[in-house]
Amino acid sequence: MKKPLNPATIAAHAAGALDLQSGGVVPAFQPSTTFLRDEDYALIRPDNIYSRDNSDNLRQAEAVIRALENAQDTLLFPSGMAAIAAVFRALPNRATAIVQSGIYWGTTAWVRDFCARREIILIEVAAADLIATCAAQPANLVLIETPSNPWLLTVDIAAVKAATNGIVLVDSTAATPILTRALDHGADIVMHSATKAINGHSDVLAGVLSTLHSEAGLWQAIRTDRRMAGAILGPFEAWLLTRAMRTLPLRMERMSENALALAHYLMGHHAVADVYYPGLPHHSGHDVALRQMQGGFGSLLSVLVKGTRQDALRVTGKFNLFLRATSLGGVESLVEHRHTIEPHTGIPENLIRVSVGIEHIDDLIADWEQALG
């Protein structure tokens, strides 16, 4: 048997994707929505009928993620929310779902509305209480996000799985499969907003689900729903995603190194009250992160500056290098004053969410130094 390849090699070679027709070392882009049949009406390519569920570019991108996740099956969607929605739509009416609180607000808002319409019992639980709740409350589905956005809370995936008989769905967007293979820790399904670090160039909207249990009824329902509902990533976006993932391990290594160095710097700054980052020893989830994350702690951190909302806005307004924009995981560093965007979620007025890019760390620290000064 061949020795299993390391993630960096899998990514660099796009899981072996080539263009055999031309001999190109880069997979071709095929935009066709429909495919030829011969005189007897047999398909020229049996696996290509109509691009809603048949696309070489889609399958190539899925193959890369499937290999990186060590999964049996992977499905790409047009966004991270479309991927989350696909799992919940597969639940029966009057099912029970346990959902971690304090996660990405878009997920929370959609899940609340959907569960109310479908008579699904929704139990929202703080990260610290998830294991006890899962042990006491039978559920069809348990959704966790680790590290969480924007609180950077970490959850022990294996402990949650051991406590429940339900399907464990893990949003691992902030970690990516490079830092955490959630399936290896017991997750039944792992989800990423591939818009973020998996693509990493702020130019593709995509979501992805992967599983070790491709034969399971819930997964088959998700696959069928994607096909019938047309929740498919377009071929150009899939091609761009494959192209971007070739550098994913390198980007995550650099971004994680930068984020850790910046977090340490900010913790020592007189104008900073606290830094939420699982790589810092004082972080409540540091021990879990050490067990669950390999090669770094990700690019996302949140900073509590001393003072009020106006003090935080004064800092964000002075940045020259960090861009004021909503997203995370890109090669460019971003900051966001979360209370301005989501004042209804209990976010502290002095919290600044930071997505650290691949720039030189000295330049990043210098930008914070002048902004805090």
Side-chain angles (χ1 to χ4, degrees):
M1 292 180 62
K2 292 182 179 179
K3 179 183 176 182
L5 297 176
N6 291 296
T9 304
I10 293 169
H13 286 263
L18 300 168
D19 180 18
L20 298 180
Q21 182 173 341
S22 69
V25 299
V26 174
F29 167 53
Q30 175 48 264
S32 183
T33 58
T34 191
F35 301 91
L36 284 172
R37 295 174 180 267
D38 64 17
E39 294 84 352
D40 297 320
Y41 222 69
L43 286 163
I44 302 298
R45 278 273 303 276
D47 56 346
N48 280 344
I49 302 173
Y50 186 67
S51 65
R52 188 175 62 210
D53 200 41
N54 305 118
S55 163
D56 284 354
N57 294 117
L58 186 72
R59 286 190 290 262
Q60 286 164 352
E62 288 175 341
V64 178
I65 298 172
R66 184 170 61 249
L68 292 175
E69 294 280 18
N70 195 25
Q72 283 188 0
D73 201 12
T74 291
L75 297 172
L76 276 165
F77 293 82
S79 69
M81 282 308 306
I84 287 282
V87 179
F88 276 83
R89 283 202 303 268
L91 293 175
N93 288 346
R94 292 174 290 281
T96 297
I98 296 174
V99 175
Q100 177 184 339
S101 60
I103 60 175
Y104 170 56
W105 173 247
T107 298
T108 299
W110 184 88
V111 166
R112 286 176 179 174
D113 177 71
F114 179 80
C115 289
R117 287 187 283 112
R118 283 278 298 274
E119 299 180 357
I120 292 173
I121 299 169
L122 174 61
I123 303 170
E124 296 185 51
V125 183
D129 300 324
L130 269 168
I131 296 169
T133 302
C134 288
Q137 172 65 57
N140 301 80
L141 179 72
V142 179
L143 169 60
I144 62 179
E145 181 182 87
T146 182
S148 67
N149 171 20
W151 298 98
L152 279 301
L153 299 174
T154 58
V155 177
D156 189 325
I157 300 169
V160 170
K161 181 58 182 175
T164 182
N165 289 324
I167 297 295
V168 175
L169 168 63
V170 177
D171 182 341
S172 191
T173 296
T176 80
I178 301 303
L179 302 183
T180 300
R181 279 182 166 179
L183 300 178
D184 290 354
H185 292 275
D188 296 290
I189 302 174
V190 58
M191 171 271 172
H192 302 273
S193 172
T195 307
K196 310 304 193 296
I198 286 181
N199 177 64
H201 291 76
S202 303
D203 55 10
V204 169
L205 197 66
V208 63
L209 299 174
S210 297
T211 187
L212 280 174
H213 312 295
S214 58
E215 73 290 344
L218 184 75
W219 185 258
Q220 290 304 313
I222 293 168
R223 176 175 279 281
T224 299
D225 184 71
R226 186 187 75 155
R227 180 180 71 252
M228 300 302 292
I232 302 297
L233 189 67
F236 183 57
E237 289 79 9
W239 185 87
L240 283 174
L241 191 60
T242 299
R243 183 176 187 267
M245 286 190 291
R246 291 185 159 203
T247 61
L248 174 58
L250 288 173
R251 288 187 281 107
M252 288 309 298
E253 179 181 356
R254 179 61 172 267
M255 291 191 293
S256 295
E257 289 176 352
N258 280 352
L260 182 60
L262 181 63
H264 278 296
Y265 164 77
L266 292 171
M267 275 302 300
H269 199 284
H270 64 86
V272 171
D274 202 357
V275 178
Y276 300 156
Y277 187 65
L280 294 175
H282 83 284
H283 187 275
S284 61
H286 182 62
D287 290 342
V288 172
L290 284 174
R291 295 195 304 270
Q292 217 163 249
M293 304 180 78
Q294 294 80 41
F297 300 96
S299 64
L300 185 66
L301 55 95
S302 288
V303 181
L304 288 176
V305 299
K306 291 181 179 177
T308 65
R309 177 177 185 271
Q310 290 305 315
D311 292 306
L313 288 172
R314 176 187 58 79
V315 173
T316 58
K318 291 176 65 177
F319 283 114
N320 297 316
L321 185 59
F322 282 81
L323 305 175
R324 292 173 291 276
T326 297
S327 197
L328 57 98
V331 293
E332 65 286 316
S333 292
L334 305 178
V335 292
E336 183 176 65
H337 182 246
R338 294 299 296 168
H339 191 270
T340 296
I341 305 301
E342 297 172 355
H344 51 286
T345 62
I347 297 295
E349 294 186 353
N350 59 332
L351 185 145
I352 301 172
R353 192 186 72 177
V354 186
S355 175
V356 183
I358 65 170
E359 303 94 337
H360 196 286
I361 186 58
D362 291 350
D363 296 328
L364 298 179
I365 289 175
D367 202 26
W368 269 93
E369 186 174 9
Q370 65 83 24
L372 288 168

